[in-house]
Amino acid sequence: MLSLGIGSSCDETAAAVVRDGREILSSVIASQVDLHRPWGGVVPELASREHLEKIEPIVDEALAEAKVTLRDIDAIAVTQGPGLIGSLLVGVCYAKALAWGLDIPLVGINHIEGHVYSVAFENPQVEYPALALIVSGGHTNIFQIAEEGKYKVVSRTRDDAAGEAFDKVAKMLGLGYPGGPIIEKLALEGDASHVKFPRAKISDGRPDLSFSGLKTAVSRHIKENNIAPLKNGDAPSQVIKDLAASFQKAVVSALVDTLEELATELQPKTLIVAGGVACNLALRDAAEAAAKRLGLPVYFPSKHLSTDNAAMIAAAGYFHLKNGERADPAMTADITLRLQNVDVEPPKGSAKYRL
Ligand code: KG4
Ligand code: ZN
């Protein structure tokens, strides 16, 4: 089955052609990072206008790179949510029109489930039960996946996502946007033991995460030590490099210690670490060390597939299409989609929880 994946949940317009959910024929991404950089974050209105401009050429490019035409495509998978509503709508409307015009099946995919499937390429087949740490700019969750397609959130951030913390700390230090890759680079030359940041304690004892206290601790450290944010062209000082390394270490150990504790308790067969922050080599090294201690395999996406892309959406779509799922003609973008379909009681009077 040849599927066309389409994603436009935030600031990346992406399209990919994937065979049988595991072989990438093409994966094209138009990043809007340069467009949003002057504002230090994504501006939703600008993002949706840019998606509108890019969606058609990006899909055309994905088809051309895969050396196929629309007639060869058997099904379409599109990111339905969560994300920015204006951005999501561009991809969803485009995919619906395309699927309707071609008379082929369409499925709406949860963006976070897409990240789970980003390890479907270049790794052995995932064995279930699996435990997946999904860390991005908008989300930080650990999912217990008892069997393929069955998700239970076993840890979540109570406030900021890990990627968001990287971005905000980078902003405080005048390092630029997005913050994760810049902090990682500076951390390579910094001393991670220089500043000891306390680990957030969750008062109800759940294995949840919290990064807003860490962000405040970094801000306080900057003020107390009179660290001036960089201005354009300044070379970062050793103090900033040490701070970057210490902050990164605090984030990585909170994530990996929690993953390891939950893996010890839940005994999965596979660990998955994915999402934009999974580009970070310190996180990969720590997760690999934990997996070794646990005697488990850990799968990461390649760097290209760690940040938002459409190959992962096509891979997740393949699973749902194989299960016979089809999007209703009334399907639309949904920013409230949550990825949990095990042990969830729908709140009274609300629509049923969906993927
Ligand atoms: O998955 P993604 O592309 O978009 C969302 O769904 O949010 O993740 C983007 C996030 C940003 O916050 C970015 O700073 C972070 O991933 N990120 C990193 C690295 N590369 C990207 N964080 C830490 N280290 C990196 N190397
Ligand atoms: Zn993402």
Side-chain angles (χ1 to χ4, degrees), residues 83-165:
L84 299 170
I85 186 67
S87 292
L88 286 164
L89 275 169
V90 175
V92 168
C93 293
Y94 188 85
K96 277 173 77 171
L98 204 55
W100 188 72
L102 294 168
D103 196 21
I104 58 175
L106 170 74
V107 276
I109 296 298
N110 182 312
H111 176 76
I112 309 303
E113 187 178 31
H115 279 298
V116 173
Y117 277 85
S118 65
V119 301
F121 313 99
E122 302 161 7
N123 283 305
Q125 194 105 30
V126 169
E127 271 198 76
Y128 298 94
L131 198 60
L133 167 65
I134 308 298
V135 253
S136 71
H139 307 270
T140 298
N141 288 308
I142 300 176
F143 296 96
Q144 182 185 23
I145 314 173
E147 57 184 276
E148 188 166 15
K150 297 265 183 273
Y151 302 94
K152 179 178 174 172
V153 176
V154 287
S155 172
R156 58 163 60 85
T157 176
R158 294 288 180 98
D159 36 63
D160 294 349
E164 197 178 348

Side-chain angles (χ1 to χ4, degrees), residues 9-12 111-112 115 135-139 162-164 166-167 178-182 184 248 275-281 303 306-308:
S9 54
C10 185
D11 60 343
E12 265 129 11
H111 176 76
I112 309 303
H115 279 298
V135 253
S136 71
H139 307 270
E164 197 178 348
F166 271 96
D167 294 337
I182 308 171
E184 178 177 16
Q248 176 176 273
V277 183
C279 288
N280 189 288
L281 293 180
K303 201 162 179 169
S306 295
T307 47
D308 292 347

Side-chain angles (χ1 to χ4, degrees), residues 17-311:
V17 178
V18 169
R19 181 177 285 130
D20 296 337
R22 280 185 69 83
E23 188 193 343
I24 299 178
L25 302 193
S26 66
S27 175
V28 182
I29 302 168
S31 164
Q32 301 179 0
V33 163
D34 292 340
L35 178 73
H36 301 290
R37 187 171 284 124
W39 282 268
V42 178
V43 183
E45 189 59 34
L46 292 180
S48 32
R49 286 184 203 185
E50 186 71 5
H51 284 305
L52 213 48
E53 299 259 326
K54 290 282 155 59
I55 189 103
E56 188 149 19
I58 290 298
V59 168
D60 286 348
E61 202 178 320
L63 294 168
E65 244 183 53
K67 299 192 174 51
V68 298
T69 69
L70 277 178
R71 297 276 152 215
D72 301 311
I73 299 296
D74 299 304
I76 300 178
V78 64
T79 307
Q80 186 184 359
L84 299 170
I85 186 67
S87 292
L88 286 164
L89 275 169
V90 175
V92 168
C93 293
Y94 188 85
K96 277 173 77 171
L98 204 55
W100 188 72
L102 294 168
D103 196 21
I104 58 175
L106 170 74
V107 276
I109 296 298
N110 182 312
H111 176 76
I112 309 303
E113 187 178 31
H115 279 298
V116 173
Y117 277 85
S118 65
V119 301
F121 313 99
E122 302 161 7
N123 283 305
Q125 194 105 30
V126 169
E127 271 198 76
Y128 298 94
L131 198 60
L133 167 65
I134 308 298
V135 253
S136 71
H139 307 270
T140 298
N141 288 308
I142 300 176
F143 296 96
Q144 182 185 23
I145 314 173
E147 57 184 276
E148 188 166 15
K150 297 265 183 273
Y151 302 94
K152 179 178 174 172
V153 176
V154 287
S155 172
R156 58 163 60 85
T157 176
R158 294 288 180 98
D159 36 63
D160 294 349
E164 197 178 348
F166 271 96
D167 294 337
K168 286 181 179 167
V169 165
K171 202 168 176 178
M172 282 179 215
L173 291 167
L175 299 178
Y177 164 86
I182 308 171
I183 290 189
E184 178 177 16
K185 198 159 160 236
L186 293 179
L188 289 174
E189 292 170 17
D191 171 7
S193 63
H194 196 76
V195 195
K196 297 245 172 335
F197 289 115
R199 170 82 54 87
K201 282 208 180 66
I202 305 295
S203 54
D204 59 16
R206 283 177 188 267
D208 282 350
L209 295 150
S210 162
F211 295 107
S212 81
L214 174 61
K215 199 181 60 193
T216 310
V218 172
S219 159
R220 201 178 315 123
H221 181 87
I222 292 173
K223 281 198 196 98
E224 284 170 1
N225 294 277
N226 294 320
I227 301 173
L230 296 191
K231 293 201 199 67
N232 265 350
D234 284 359
S237 62
Q238 192 56 42
V239 171
I240 287 191
K241 290 176 184 171
D242 291 345
L243 181 54
S246 306
F247 161 76
Q248 176 176 273
K249 185 177 171 209
V251 176
V252 166
S253 39
L255 292 171
V256 175
D257 290 355
T258 308
L259 183 69
E260 190 168 358
E261 276 159 32
L262 284 166
T264 307
E265 183 191 328
L266 300 169
Q267 300 281 311
K269 289 193 177 142
T270 314
L271 298 177
I272 294 170
V273 178
V277 183
C279 288
N280 189 288
L281 293 180
L283 174 63
R284 287 186 184 223
D285 287 348
E288 251 159 19
K292 208 165 169 197
R293 285 191 291 274
L294 293 158
L296 292 174
V298 57
Y299 299 152
F300 306 96
S302 62
K303 201 162 179 169
H304 165 83
L305 296 170
S306 295
T307 47
D308 292 347
N309 66 85

